[in-house]
Amino acid sequence: MALYWPKEKVALDIVDDPQRNPFEGDDDYTVLRVTCADLADYESFSRIYQHLASLLGCRATSTKDARDANKALHTMLVNWMSNTGEDLDEESMLGSFPFSEGGVPSGYPFDVPDGDDDSCEEGLFDNYVRDRNLDNVEILATSEEEGEAMRLAARSEGRHVRKVSVWEGPVPEGSFEMLSSGMRMSTPEYFFFRKANQLPFAEAVQLGCELCGKYRTSITQYDAGEDYDYLLHTRTSTSLLRSYLRGARGTKECKRARRVLRYVSDNASSPMATFLHLWFCLSRTHGGYGLARSEFSQVYETQDGLAPSSAGPYLAYDLVWPSKRVAVQYVGSHEPSDSEFSALEADFMRIVCVSDKDVKSPARLDRIARRVADLLGTTLPEDNEKWCNTRKRLWRQLEVPTYPHMRLTLPDIETHQMP
């Protein structure tokens, strides 16, 4: 297998892993190639870990207590793998849990260049385990007959089967993560691949933005309920999805997924940000305004501090086109005060605010889209009947998010943080 840190352009490739998905990143990656034996020996593992930490700009474990704890954990995991490894090919049932957590926590809710990494890995582990409710599963099969056999097997083991799904398309490497003997879980990349071929185009892009974002709703988490969870880290990324899709190159399913992925951006921090991104950036063929793809949840370091300024309540811009110094900010039910707007305008950023009244009206959103287009220097064509009808279909297809507290302010974010 290969582990990726896309932001730092670093990868760790375990070259003799029997279930290896070889490194397929760009040439600008720094790749550490190691063997299973290297990782099983603690001394060599420690050297690899220290080298990797230096490449990622992290601090390696230094205190004696921390090293002792790290060594004890390493010994436990090596022993566990030695005892269970020979059972990993027994896959009588596929538990499809599309909401698996993934990636490496950055310690920051937003992308801050050159940030310090002091993440809370314990919280990540707790959430990761909580989502693996092996008594409540969704079966993923290659045929209805196989699905029925899996359902009966799951019920005989006392598990509740929420749903049986059938997928007859390609299954690239990196589609599953082993949970136990006889059970494996869909990776976020495989979940995206299937849904990109099953959902209408705009909904597939919406799902992709959520999987590559820092929140989750019922779209990707079956038991999310009526609210959404804010996540400190994303479950996958556009670069990981592109790499994964190479395993299905040449198929019609891959071509469709790649078309969807063109409109997906990383690090969306709320359902509202994704909604605005879809409305503004989808092509006119799909009902959007065809603006250049925006970036999500960005905060910038400037000579005078941060942009948006820490003097205001907003921690990051919802949507931003950094080369044009244009940003869109969701402000909820109230327009920002003069001082709050001034904080958003830090470093000469040009700001377009979107309120709850705006998102309830296609006409108001149309005016906002055209204002953003003007700031970006993009000329939109005159309305014609075909484009108007396509926009109306998109409006009916995408529900305007109605969750409370979706601004990128600390109080609003804390409302959605997981316990």
Side-chain angles (χ1 to χ4, degrees):
M1 65 179 292
L3 303 178
Y4 297 80
W5 288 263
K7 185 177 179 181
E8 293 81 6
K9 295 293 184 180
V10 173
L12 179 72
D13 193 358
I14 307 172
V15 298
D16 59 347
D17 184 347
Q19 298 190 40
R20 182 187 182 212
N21 185 18
F23 171 76
E24 292 185 336
D26 298 329
D27 293 336
D28 55 349
Y29 267 76
T30 299
V31 184
L32 294 185
R33 290 184 169 85
V34 302
T35 66
C36 293
D38 293 333
L39 298 177
D41 178 77
Y42 183 75
E43 294 304 321
S44 63
F45 168 85
S46 181
R47 290 192 294 271
I48 294 167
Y49 162 66
Q50 291 176 23
H51 187 188
L52 184 60
S54 67
L55 291 173
L56 297 176
C58 303
R59 293 187 299 272
T61 301
S62 56
T63 66
K64 183 179 184 301
D65 288 344
R67 286 197 305 271
D68 290 344
N70 182 252
K71 186 173 183 179
L73 176 61
H74 178 271
T75 300
M76 180 191 74
L77 292 174
V78 170
N79 290 338
W80 177 75
M81 289 300 296
S82 298
N83 293 331
T84 62
E86 61 187 25
D87 296 329
L88 292 182
D89 290 330
E90 297 178 16
E91 298 166 355
S92 59
M93 183 173 70
L94 313 183
S96 177
F97 293 79
F99 43 85
S100 67
E101 305 287 358
V104 178
S106 66
Y108 287 96
F110 307 106
D111 285 351
V112 181
D114 300 320
D116 185 23
D117 190 343
D118 188 19
S119 59
C120 179
E121 294 186 8
E122 181 179 358
L124 169 63
F125 180 78
D126 289 343
N127 296 334
Y128 193 49
V129 171
R130 185 191 73 174
D131 284 344
R132 284 166 163 73
N133 179 5
L134 302 187
D135 293 329
N136 189 341
V137 300
E138 177 180 335
I139 299 296
L140 175 60
T142 60
S143 67
E144 293 184 4
E145 294 77 14
E146 184 182 61
E148 178 61 17
M150 291 178 178
R151 186 184 67 82
L152 293 175
R155 290 184 60 183
S156 70
E157 295 178 5
R159 293 187 172 93
H160 170 69
V161 178
R162 300 191 308 273
K163 182 181 178 183
V164 177
S165 298
V166 175
W167 170 253
E168 298 177 342
V171 183
E173 288 189 40
S175 293
F176 294 106
E177 175 186 347
M178 297 305 303
L179 293 181
S180 64
S181 177
M183 179 173 285
R184 58 185 182 176
M185 176 178 66
S186 294
T187 61
E189 294 77 26
Y190 186 35
F191 183 53
F192 168 80
F193 182 41
R194 290 186 286 114
K195 293 301 182 181
N197 282 276
Q198 295 169 341
L199 293 174
F201 192 89
E203 292 180 36
V205 176
Q206 182 182 33
L207 178 138
C209 287
E210 184 167 320
L211 286 175
C212 295
K214 296 175 180 175
Y215 71 95
R216 63 184 182 186
T217 70
S218 58
I219 293 174
T220 60
Q221 173 82 9
Y222 81 96
D223 61 350
E226 297 181 356
D227 203 351
Y228 71 88
D229 293 325
Y230 180 81
L231 309 172
L232 290 179
H233 53 91
T234 65
R235 287 168 284 182
T236 188
S237 67
T238 54
S239 62
L240 287 176
L241 288 172
R242 279 193 294 271
S243 178
Y244 168 83
L245 289 176
R246 293 191 188 111
R249 60 165 63 96
T251 66
K252 66 180 188 299
E253 291 86 356
C254 180
K255 293 176 182 177
R256 163 76 176 193
R258 281 178 170 169
R259 287 197 297 270
V260 171
L261 189 56
R262 286 194 204 115
Y263 296 95
V264 175
S265 289
D266 294 304
N267 298 313
S269 291
S270 75
M272 183 58 75
T274 293
F275 172 81
L276 294 173
H277 169 79
L278 294 172
W279 191 250
F280 295 150
C281 300
L282 280 182
S283 69
R284 289 186 285 274
T285 303
H286 294 105
Y289 284 79
L291 302 182
R293 190 173 64 173
S294 63
E295 296 182 13
F296 285 120
S297 307
Q298 296 293 320
V299 54
Y300 301 96
E301 289 182 313
T302 73
Q303 292 182 342
D304 300 322
L306 296 177
S309 169
S310 57
Y314 292 94
L315 303 179
Y317 299 113
D318 282 292
L319 307 181
V320 64
W321 292 263
S323 64
K324 301 291 186 179
R325 292 184 180 271
V326 175
V328 170
Q329 199 71 36
Y330 170 67
V331 297
S333 57
H334 300 288
E335 293 291 335
S337 65
D338 290 343
S339 61
E340 291 172 345
F341 193 80
S342 178
L344 287 170
E345 288 185 310
D347 201 36
F348 306 105
M349 191 71 75
R350 295 175 291 174
I351 307 299
V352 178
C353 293
V354 179
S355 68
D356 287 335
K357 288 183 179 179
D358 294 326
V359 298
K360 293 176 182 177
S361 166
R364 294 174 73 112
L365 278 178
D366 179 74
R367 290 194 292 271
I368 289 173
R370 294 181 184 279
R371 183 181 172 194
V372 174
D374 286 342
L375 292 174
L376 294 176
T378 300
T379 301
L380 294 178
E382 294 296 324
D383 275 344
N384 57 42
E385 184 178 357
K386 183 178 180 180
W387 186 23
C388 287
N389 290 336
T390 307
R391 288 212 309 272
K392 289 177 182 178
R393 285 197 297 272
L394 179 63
W395 181 259
R396 291 192 297 267
Q397 185 179 347
L398 294 176
E399 293 185 9
V400 178
T402 57
Y403 304 101
H405 311 296
M406 286 188 288
R407 299 176 305 162
L408 293 190
T409 66
L410 186 59
D412 279 23
I413 288 172
E414 289 179 335
T415 301
H416 301 287
Q417 278 192 311
M418 298 170 61

